[in-house]
Amino acid sequence: MSHTMIGRVLALLDAVAGAGAIGRRDLARAAGLPQATANRIVATLLEQRLLAESPAGLRLGLRLFELGTLAGESGVSLLDVARPYLVDLHGAFGWTAQLAALDGDAVIYLLKVDSHRRPRLGTRVAGRFPPHCTGAGKALLAFGPPEAAEHLPLPARTPATITDRSRLAADLRATRRRGYAVDRGEFQSGMLGVAAPVRVAGRPLAAVTLAGPEDSLDVPRAAHALRVVARMIESRLR
């Protein structure tokens, strides 16, 4: 790849990073590139997961964040850092602990320490799920670019799922105020999820979550533990 091509790629990535989410025409204009040239490079970046496409536009891709966690002096990855904390959360609460990230218009689970109690949580590592009905997804949407949730489809997964855009916006505002997200049976009936964002350079890189039956998970206690864990993970990634 020539230096000229590298410069074009960086111009596109910088423009996406600055906007949070951006349409293809606006991206080409912001990067100072002809539309056809920008489209060709964007296609490759999407294929390599360096960019992701969502209803709000093009966003930085999950792979770019994964690579970014290796750039610090410690040389450790997000998954390496987070794994022992998830084990500790599972041990302290007895319920499912997870690490998740946004990839386009889906939340994807990167790590999961599962509870053997019932009911079991219907998520899986590498599984992709709608973010508007999960604690992790709502934590990431709330602390990400404001337009991230504006064009998301809002399918009803359970009777409790928020499918009204104004109600979701209010829920995300509440999440930002308190610093954590809560899913009360919105993803899976009878299950409650709590999640806190892991932020690097001011952006939500991932979310740590705990999930268990609605009648047995103490939300304030879980939220406090998750926020502490999120800050500890952040400190290891700097």
Side-chain angles (χ1 to χ4, degrees), residues 13 16 20 44-54 57-70 77-79 99-111 124-129 136 140 198 200 203-207 237:
L13 292 176
V16 174
T44 300
L45 295 177
L46 287 169
E47 182 181 338
Q48 297 300 318
R49 295 170 53 242
L50 296 171
L51 288 180
E53 198 152 26
S54 72
L58 292 161
R59 304 168 58 84
L60 294 180
L62 186 59
R63 187 180 182 194
L64 195 63
F65 290 126
E66 290 167 351
L67 293 172
T69 64
L70 296 171
S77 75
L78 170 63
L79 303 188
L99 179 76
L102 276 181
D103 189 20
D105 60 355
V107 64
I108 181 170
Y109 289 90
L110 308 175
L111 290 173
R124 63 184 183 280
V125 172
R128 300 172 63 87
F129 300 93
L140 292 163
V198 175
V200 175
R203 293 181 177 273
L205 174 66
L237 296 175

Side-chain angles (χ1 to χ4, degrees), residues 139 141-146 169-181:
L141 290 171
F143 290 93
D171 189 284
L172 297 181
R173 287 195 297 271
T175 296
R176 283 192 294 274
R177 285 196 301 270
R178 64 182 176 235
Y180 63 90

Side-chain angles (χ1 to χ4, degrees), residues 145-170:
E147 67 276 9
E150 290 179 1
H151 304 289
L152 281 175
L154 304 178
R157 188 175 172 96
T158 75
T161 303
I162 297 174
T163 58
D164 177 78
R165 210 164 292 280
S166 62
R167 281 188 60 211
L168 178 62

Side-chain angles (χ1 to χ4, degrees), residues 69 74 76-91 97-101 109-113 196-198 200 205-210 225-226 228-237:
T69 64
S74 63
V76 295
S77 75
L78 170 63
L79 303 188
D80 290 335
V81 170
R83 187 174 285 106
Y85 291 115
L86 294 188
V87 172
D88 288 347
L89 285 168
H90 169 70
Q98 299 175 107
L99 179 76
Y109 289 90
L110 308 175
L111 290 173
K112 182 178 183 180
V113 182
V198 175
V200 175
L205 174 66
V208 285
T209 83
L210 276 167
L226 288 164
V228 169
V229 163
R231 300 296 87 78
M232 293 175 76
I233 293 172
E234 290 168 0
S235 69
R236 293 280 308 279
L237 296 175

